[in-house]
Amino acid sequence: MTGALPSSVLFCCDHNAVRSPMAEGMAKQVLGNRTYIQSAGVRCDLEIDPFAIAVSAEIGVELSRHRARSFEMMQDWGDDLSSFELIVTLSPASQRHALELTRVFHLDVEYWPVLEPTGLGETREQKLAAYRQTRDQIAHRIAARFGTPDRIDALQPHQSP
């Protein structure tokens, strides 16, 4: 684990439909209530992706109730983006947007380049493999950044009985 845990983390991607909800769910699983965790997208024009729901469920992360939200929606609801201690961006567009929003605030912004799985693969299994790759990249980054030895195993796929 690198450094002390931040008090709050915002995960961001393009649509808040695949990568950032997966990161939010996994981080909540590892950190519990020790850190306030939220996610948002640059835009909010898609619903949560069914493949993201499926591969997250494989590691015990429930995403079916997630509702996509954008930076603007969060601000409209009264969430002060300056109150987040750390913003983790998972796409180039969200990195640019987060840096623009944080020009006037002292916030840490980290960019985690993660595969965008939508549109990859032709068969269901090929698509699931791409989403699993994204999930595993995020899990690895979360474990490296926030994980504790007793919680890293929480991000491993559950074996069927």
Side-chain angles (χ1 to χ4, degrees):
M1 184 163 71
T2 61
L5 286 177
S7 61
S8 56
V9 178
L10 177 65
F11 290 98
C12 315
C13 66
D14 294 343
H15 303 277
N16 194 227
V18 178
R19 292 169 288 179
S20 58
M22 287 170 47
E24 175 186 353
M26 286 186 271
K28 284 179 176 178
Q29 186 175 27
V30 169
L31 299 174
N33 61 4
R34 295 180 289 169
T35 299
Y36 177 72
I37 300 166
Q38 196 61 260
S39 67
V42 175
R43 293 174 301 284
C44 178
D45 53 353
L46 301 174
E47 289 300 319
I48 185 77
D49 188 294
F51 287 109
I53 293 170
V55 300
S56 295
E58 294 174 351
I59 60 168
V61 174
E62 169 60 44
L63 293 184
S64 64
R65 286 177 263 152
H66 177 81
R67 296 298 169 252
R69 56 194 161 264
S70 67
F71 287 106
E72 287 178 15
M73 288 171 73
M74 289 182 69
Q75 289 174 317
D76 290 345
W77 297 336
D79 281 339
D80 184 358
L81 297 178
S82 68
S83 66
F84 285 93
E85 189 175 335
L86 173 64
I87 297 178
V88 176
T89 61
L90 304 166
S91 70
S94 65
Q95 171 74 359
R96 285 189 301 276
H97 197 73
L99 290 175
E100 180 64 28
L101 287 172
T102 61
R103 283 184 316 146
V104 295
F105 305 121
H106 178 66
L107 300 172
D108 290 331
V109 177
E110 294 180 11
Y111 175 51
W112 297 357
V114 174
L115 174 71
E116 166 56 74
T118 57
L120 297 179
E122 294 181 21
T123 68
R124 176 175 170 74
E125 280 310 310
Q126 289 171 339
K127 290 176 185 297
L128 285 169
Y131 279 76
R132 286 180 185 118
Q133 183 178 351
T134 297
R135 177 202 64 201
D136 295 346
Q137 286 176 350
I138 294 168
H140 175 66
R141 294 300 298 251
I142 287 172
R145 177 64 167 84
F146 307 115
T148 58
D150 61 325
R151 298 294 296 174
I152 291 174
D153 63 326
L155 297 177
Q156 300 304 315
H158 296 143
Q159 299 299 321
S160 298

